[in-house]
Amino acid sequence: MLGLGLEVSLSRSLKNIDQYLSEIINTRKTELLNKQQEGTAGTLHDDLLSRFMKKKESYSDQFLQHVALNFILAGRDTSSVALSWFFWLCTLNPRVEEKILLELCTVLMETRGMDTSKWVEEPLVFEEVDRLLYLKAALSETLRLYPSVPEDSKHVVNDDILPDGTFVPSGSMVTYSIYSVGRMKFIWGEDCMEFKPERWLSEDGTKFEVQDSYRFVSFNAGPRICLGKDLAYLQMKSIAAAVLLRHRLMVAPGHRVEQKMSLTLFMKYGLKVNVLPRDLRPVVDKIIATARCKGDESCGKEAVIVTGNGVNNEAVELVAAVS
Ligand code: HEM
């Protein structure tokens, strides 16, 4: 209002964001126009914004800017910080990381064959990502313990009474702690502090058990539930799978991982890791050994790992046939 202090940098930042977004929207417009005029096949971009712009309803530039900004604010830090916590938890829980890889490699054996170089030639397609149930469970478990949005506040418009009888006067704020809800014994059990993706799966490990959204509130619940939830899982699963398939991560010696509570649950010093090449041979060998073991009771408990990850008979037969 007065153009002093923080207001100066705020208005400068708003101008920068406006300019950034208008440039993006104008580029997409030119692309779409060129495509219509010259009939060129496909556009450079095929993202959410381009799809909004291709819709029959013509949206104003200002509306498109608001949509793009909303998605950047709501979807960027939330997904990226969740991935930082996920990769860190994988380094602390090699058993979980191995199960993620066993699931991933089993799917790729079925869809791309036994030549592992073919697994990294092209990014995973939707149908492949969709089958990674254990990975989805591990990401959900990450968000339970380290929710990207650790607390959520609502402004009370009119006097109201909460279901437990608490009166909330108009003008007040109600804040609930998503972080605490994810660590409550009466909701998650005695082992609530443990990182256990299995709690999200059916007993035989073949189905993802969708939790009541009022128990798992990392995406909020009810009418204002996160609109990008499915997209967030798709993005996080794709990135997590792509990284773990190619690399082994090790936290850099001496690096401290600490929480920083703010609007987003950041890592105070980020996550510094050493990135090493991934050797998939032990994982592949284990899948083949497990397939050989199938039906042979003398093989022991290890054999359960793969079948417990939702691998169907075709995969096991394929592995058995190749070996
Ligand atoms: C791990 C990733 C994500 C988490 C943990 C997350 C979490 C949340 C939470 C807790 C809310 C409720 C905020 C409130 O009530 O004040 C929310 C709302 C929202 N999220 Fe997400 N989000 C994620 C990713 C995304 C992505 C990728 C998008 C879109 C590209 C997105 C779009 C939205 C939108 C548009 C809203 C507002 C919904 C409304 O108020 O009706 N989110 N999200």
Side-chain angles (χ1 to χ4, degrees), residues 3-4 28 97 111 129 159 208 233 236 240 261 272 277 300 305:
L4 297 170
R28 302 287 193 287
E97 183 173 346
T111 56
V129 176
D159 286 358
F208 185 87
Y233 270 115
M236 291 188 298
M261 281 284 180
K272 284 193 185 151
I305 291 179

Side-chain angles (χ1 to χ4, degrees), residues 70-71 74-75 78-79 82 143 148-149 152 154 178 218-220 224-228 231-232 235-236:
N70 207 351
F71 278 13
T78 43
S79 308
L143 284 166
S148 313
V149 182
D152 192 10
K154 298 287 171 230
I178 298 177
S218 298
F219 290 95
N220 198 5
R224 302 306 295 264
I225 195 164
C226 171
L227 291 177
L231 180 65
Q235 280 181 333
M236 291 188 298

Side-chain angles (χ1 to χ4, degrees), residues 11 14 57 64 157 216 224 244 265 281 306 314 317:
S11 65
L14 288 173
E57 308 92 325
L64 290 169
V157 177
F216 176 56
R224 302 306 295 264
L244 293 181
L265 184 61
R281 253 171 319 170
V306 174
E314 276 166 46
E317 276 159 21

Side-chain angles (χ1 to χ4, degrees), residues 45 55 70 108-109 156 167 186 217 256 315:
H45 297 97
K55 285 187 92 148
N70 207 351
L108 290 172
M109 272 183 191
V156 182
F167 174 66
F186 87 92
V217 285
R256 271 167 56 202

